[in-house]
Amino acid sequence: MQSSIPINRKSKQVRLASQETSHEGSYPPRMRREIVVPPSGMHRTGDSMGRSTQRPPKPAFRTTKTSQKLKILPEDEEGGPSTDVDDYLGLTGVYDQIEHMRGAQDLRNEITRLKNLPMGSLPRVTAYATASSYTMTLLFKWIQSRKDQNDTAPKLLDECIYSPFVYGPSEAITINMDEILIDDGRQNTEFSETYIPIKSEIFIFDYGVIVIWGMDERHEKEFLRELEPFEVEKIDEDDIEMEELEFYINPNAQSRIYNDVISLRTTKGHMAKLAISHAIAQATKLSLYEGLVDETIEATRHIPQRMAESGTVEMTRKGLIRKIGQLFIMRVNVNLVSNILDTPEIFWSEPTLQPLYAAIREYLEIPQRVEIMNHRVSVISDLLDMLNGHLNGMHGEFLEWIVIILIGVEIIIGVVTITVEAAKLSY
């Protein structure tokens, strides 16, 4: 494996200020690396990574981080409540689903009750993109060795390692719904909460993302520190992408995700969580590429601006070649995302899980985000083609000057030769 180029990132304001003063050779910190093409994922480099609790704010690449959106999750179970799941899966106006579904008032009451709970009451579902990949074989053996200490039982599920991983007792909220009759004969639903013990679980994906269910933040950071020896091409602390959701249990209602809160009917079994985790992990990795494209556009926007003002690219040949190399690295890395965002192979053997996976992908807006990112990459590709053309033009101009100089030298030599010959004839 090639050696890494360390990244020492500064704040965005400092980076933008430096771009105004010196453009030659400037490029995003995420691109300061050598190309090493792994089996999947994007090779990224970084210094030793501290897991700081103070994280810089990141842009919301999906609207569901800032707006309320409901997505009904399909289930393979029989005997569940007769919610019109097929209708909701076929709707395009997902933001209006809460107003049209059967039992909408109960759902609103349930959501209101959850909002009134103390912060941190719901167990977490968090995803971290910490590396380009993991050494899965060594990691699997290490998790096996923690059986007595952390109650592990790892399973290798294609590109994912699943295991319970318990640091301490964890609880999940169960919403209980009781139908009661009121005075006028109508039914009303009363809600109550109970707490049930659960085991925290981990899903580790070979392209450098881990999804953790039911672990508190302190234990998450402890696990991430223990994970570091198995990371390949660690991501710098400022580049770490994270998705944070919550979940609870409601055995009497259709599974759904609303406002980044997942409602499940049961905590038993891990395959449904695997399908959900696949989509969350892909969305987290996609955020890395979206950030990379944004930084690249920010770092290269001065080039067309300077061309419009001066009519030339004010860069040396060396600086121009470096910029072309950086843009090419970015395009290679973005092309690798197609491998990560493909439908995981496990759904060929577990086809009943694919609708659940597809529903979470739709909620996380992965198809739309990929389309937008590809459009932005096409703009960068046009810039890359323009710089290549300019470089070829510079090279052609250089060759023309060499020819002109050689012709000039030949003329001078000819004049001198004629002068000498004429002087000899005069004597």
Side-chain angles (χ1 to χ4, degrees):
M1 181 179 297
Q2 299 183 18
S3 59
S4 304
I5 303 175
I7 302 174
N8 293 312
R9 290 185 54 161
K10 299 179 181 179
S11 66
K12 183 175 182 181
Q13 290 77 10
V14 174
R15 294 202 309 271
L16 295 180
S18 65
Q19 290 169 9
E20 295 297 327
T21 56
S22 175
H23 295 302
E24 181 178 331
S26 63
Y27 50 92
R30 297 185 188 216
M31 295 175 61
R32 199 174 303 163
R33 62 181 72 95
E34 299 179 32
I35 300 179
V36 182
V37 181
S40 63
M42 176 176 62
H43 252 50
R44 304 167 60 87
T45 61
D47 298 325
S48 59
M49 179 175 135
R51 312 287 183 176
S52 170
T53 57
Q54 298 297 326
R55 293 174 51 83
K58 289 182 178 290
F61 291 112
R62 58 182 175 89
T63 61
T64 44
K65 282 189 175 183
T66 56
S67 63
Q68 296 180 344
K69 178 178 178 179
L70 170 69
K71 187 65 183 175
I72 302 297
L73 304 182
E75 296 179 345
D76 190 40
E77 298 177 343
E78 297 181 357
S82 56
T83 309
D84 299 327
V85 181
D86 294 336
D87 293 339
Y88 296 128
L89 291 179
L91 286 175
T92 55
V94 290
Y95 292 94
D96 297 327
Q97 290 178 12
I98 192 171
E99 298 296 332
H100 301 292
M101 70 178 297
R102 184 182 305 168
Q105 185 61 47
D106 289 345
L107 176 59
R108 284 195 291 268
N109 293 339
E110 182 179 332
I111 292 170
T112 300
R113 193 174 187 91
L114 291 172
K115 287 181 178 178
N116 293 331
L117 293 174
M119 183 175 295
S121 297
L122 297 180
R124 294 155 54 92
V125 182
T126 49
Y128 296 90
T130 66
S132 171
S133 60
Y134 299 120
T135 53
M136 299 292 279
T137 302
L138 296 177
L139 183 54
F140 187 87
K141 293 179 180 178
W142 174 75
I143 295 175
Q144 278 184 321
S145 68
R146 301 294 291 267
K147 178 177 177 57
D148 295 334
Q149 184 176 351
N150 300 105
D151 197 17
T152 61
K155 298 179 181 179
L156 186 60
L157 305 171
D158 287 336
E159 58 186 355
C160 173
I161 296 176
Y162 159 78
S163 177
F165 204 99
V166 179
Y167 283 107
S170 298
E171 292 181 325
I173 288 180
T174 297
I175 298 292
N176 301 310
M177 303 168 59
D178 297 319
E179 300 288 343
I180 61 172
L181 291 176
I182 54 181
D183 295 338
D184 57 0
R186 291 184 294 111
Q187 285 189 337
N188 191 21
T189 303
E190 284 193 351
F191 294 91
S192 61
E193 302 95 19
T194 57
Y195 290 84
I196 61 172
I198 60 171
K199 287 185 177 181
S200 52
E201 299 167 290
I202 56 174
F203 297 85
I204 304 175
F205 297 89
D206 63 359
Y207 48 80
V209 180
I210 176 171
V211 181
I212 305 174
W213 289 71
M215 197 178 288
D216 61 41
E217 187 174 2
R218 177 174 61 88
H219 289 146
E220 286 176 4
K221 295 184 181 300
E222 182 178 349
F223 180 79
L224 292 177
R225 284 193 296 268
E226 294 190 272
L227 187 64
E228 287 183 359
F230 308 98
E231 296 173 341
V232 178
E233 297 291 339
K234 274 197 272 188
I235 295 175
D236 184 72
E237 179 183 1
D238 292 335
D239 284 338
I240 295 174
E241 290 292 343
M242 175 183 174
E243 284 281 357
E244 184 174 357
L245 301 92
E246 296 173 310
F247 75 98
Y248 67 99
I249 311 302
N250 187 342
N252 301 310
Q254 181 74 30
S255 296
R256 56 185 172 258
I257 179 169
Y258 175 76
N259 203 23
D260 283 2
V261 178
I262 303 171
S263 169
L264 300 175
R265 296 183 61 190
T266 179
T267 59
K268 296 180 180 179
H270 60 273
M271 296 305 291
K273 291 180 181 177
L274 173 65
I276 297 173
S277 298
H278 264 293
I280 295 175
Q282 289 178 337
T284 308
K285 197 69 173 182
L286 177 59
S287 296
L288 285 178
Y289 294 99
E290 291 171 320
L292 173 62
V293 171
D294 284 349
E295 287 187 351
T296 303
I297 292 176
E298 190 67 37
T300 56
R301 67 176 182 174
H302 66 278
I303 297 177
Q305 290 175 350
R306 291 294 178 90
M307 289 183 66
E309 294 169 359
S310 63
T312 59
V313 179
E314 299 176 356
M315 299 176 68
T316 64
R317 179 180 174 84
K318 181 179 179 180
L320 191 57
I321 292 175
R322 290 181 64 187
K323 184 63 66 179
I324 290 173
Q326 294 150 17
L327 292 176
F328 182 75
I329 290 174
M330 186 281 304
R331 195 160 70 175
V332 168
N333 284 330
V334 170
N335 285 337
L336 291 174
V337 77
S338 61
N339 295 328
I340 297 173
L341 298 183
D342 285 343
T343 301
E345 293 183 0
I346 192 170
F347 297 124
W348 290 98
S349 57
E350 299 287 344
T352 56
L353 295 175
Q354 187 164 356
L356 176 58
Y357 161 76
I360 298 295
R361 270 178 63 98
E362 184 177 340
Y363 174 83
L364 297 173
E365 300 172 342
I366 291 179
Q368 301 94 313
R369 291 163 60 189
V370 170
E371 183 178 354
I372 293 173
M373 186 182 67
N374 288 337
H375 176 71
R376 294 166 71 87
V377 169
S378 68
V379 175
I380 298 174
S381 296
D382 292 340
L383 176 61
L384 177 59
D385 294 338
M386 182 194 69
L387 293 179
N388 272 319
H390 184 75
L391 181 62
N392 293 333
M394 289 177 59
H395 184 64
E397 184 179 350
F398 176 71
L399 294 178
E400 290 175 0
W401 276 108
I402 290 178
V403 171
I404 292 171
I405 292 172
L406 290 176
I407 292 174
V409 171
E410 186 177 357
I411 292 173
I412 293 173
I413 293 174
V415 171
V416 171
T417 301
I418 293 173
T419 302
V420 171
E421 291 294 333
K424 288 181 179 180
L425 291 175
S426 63
Y427 289 107

